Amino acid sequence: MQEEAAYLCDACGEEIVIPIDMSAGAVQEYVEDCPVCCHPNVVHVEVEPDGAIRVWAEGE
């Protein structure tokens, strides 16, 4: 199973790689500051039953 995923920062467009905490559930949402531009992003994580991970972010 995949333990990392990436999203694009809503503000600067940089690809950000994040660890995935599988114990946090199949649907996750949290705020994380971009390590490049410090803009807060609402990060969405969805883990499918087959283990596929979908991650995207939007500005806070």
Side-chain angles (χ1 to χ4, degrees), residues 4 10-11 22 34 42 45 48 52-53 55 60:
E4 289 185 334
D10 190 57
M22 302 302 273
C34 174
V42 179
V45 178
E48 302 295 328
I53 298 173
V55 178
E60 182 180 51

Side-chain angles (χ1 to χ4, degrees), residues 12-58:
C12 70
E14 188 74 26
E15 182 179 61
I16 309 301
V17 177
I18 57 171
I20 302 299
D21 181 2
M22 302 302 273
S23 68
V27 178
Q28 304 172 29
E29 181 180 297
Y30 57 92
V31 176
E32 179 172 279
D33 290 343
C34 174
V36 176
C37 72
C38 299
H39 181 84
N41 288 288
V42 179
V43 179
H44 302 271
V45 178
E46 291 182 357
V47 181
E48 302 295 328
D50 66 358
I53 298 173
R54 184 173 160 231
V55 178
W56 72 98
E58 56 192 7

